[in-house]
Amino acid sequence: MWKRDEAVRQPAQPAVPTNDAAAAAPAAAAQAVRPETMKSQNARDVVNIGKSVVIKGELNGSEDLTIEGHVEGRIELRDHVLTIGPNGKIKAELFAKAVVVLGEVIGNVSASEKVDIRENGSVEGDITSPRVAIAEGAHFRGSVDMANKGGKAAAGPRPAESKPQPVTGPQPVAQQQPQQAQKVG
């Protein structure tokens, strides 16, 4: 198993002194570059699952994930981006901050920010997200619920919800009926 502390340590120097300064310079440059490279890789926090990998079961994580392989079950990355690569074949329920589909998904997709089905991407299942983008050439079969974070529907009152009209004063029941008849007829 690889340990970061061991990789950063300088290897033991040979006991025989060398007069070749040209050979020592590239080794020192490689050691100087290596820690910087490791920092940039760790700062991204992105995990890739290759196209030959098959996972059956539940997949949880706290970093961005790109899947090129096959996954069956449930994938949960609530605060991170899930990308289904062009070779990815997913039969699972997906929960993430954002979902980008370049491959094939069979199952319901739930994202707190956005679902993006790119060209040649395919989703068969229901989508729940405040923002949904489906590119030309993409395949989608299912329903879309564009609920925002509060769980309410998109902006605006529903047609069935009408505001009551203010009443100007008390009117006798006998007068209301003829006025309504005149408006209709």
Side-chain angles (χ1 to χ4, degrees), residues 4-82:
R4 184 173 186 204
D5 293 340
E6 292 175 8
V8 175
R9 265 190 240 147
Q10 294 180 357
Q13 297 296 328
V16 179
T18 58
N19 292 334
D20 190 7
Q31 289 176 358
V33 173
R34 184 178 290 168
E36 183 62 36
T37 305
M38 281 189 265
K39 286 180 186 175
S40 66
Q41 288 174 352
N42 291 337
R44 291 187 310 171
D45 284 338
V46 177
V47 175
N48 293 315
I49 295 178
K51 59 184 175 181
S52 66
V53 177
V54 177
I55 298 174
K56 293 184 180 184
E58 190 169 312
L59 185 62
N60 293 318
S62 59
E63 52 197 328
D64 294 350
L65 177 64
T66 299
I67 300 175
E68 289 287 344
H70 297 262
V71 177
E72 291 184 26
R74 179 183 175 96
I75 302 171
E76 193 167 338
L77 306 169
R78 296 278 182 187
D79 297 322
H80 298 279
V81 178
L82 173 62

Side-chain angles (χ1 to χ4, degrees), residues 157-166:
R158 294 181 181 166
E161 298 174 356
S162 61
K163 295 182 180 178
Q165 298 296 326

Side-chain angles (χ1 to χ4, degrees), residues 108-145:
N108 296 337
V109 180
S110 180
S112 60
E113 286 187 8
K114 183 177 183 180
V115 173
D116 188 1
I117 307 172
R118 305 269 174 93
E119 185 178 1
N120 298 325
S122 172
V123 174
E124 291 190 22
D126 298 339
I127 295 175
T128 303
S129 178
R131 293 173 38 212
V132 177
I134 301 174
E136 186 174 344
H139 170 77
F140 171 69
R141 180 162 58 190
S143 66
V144 176
D145 181 3

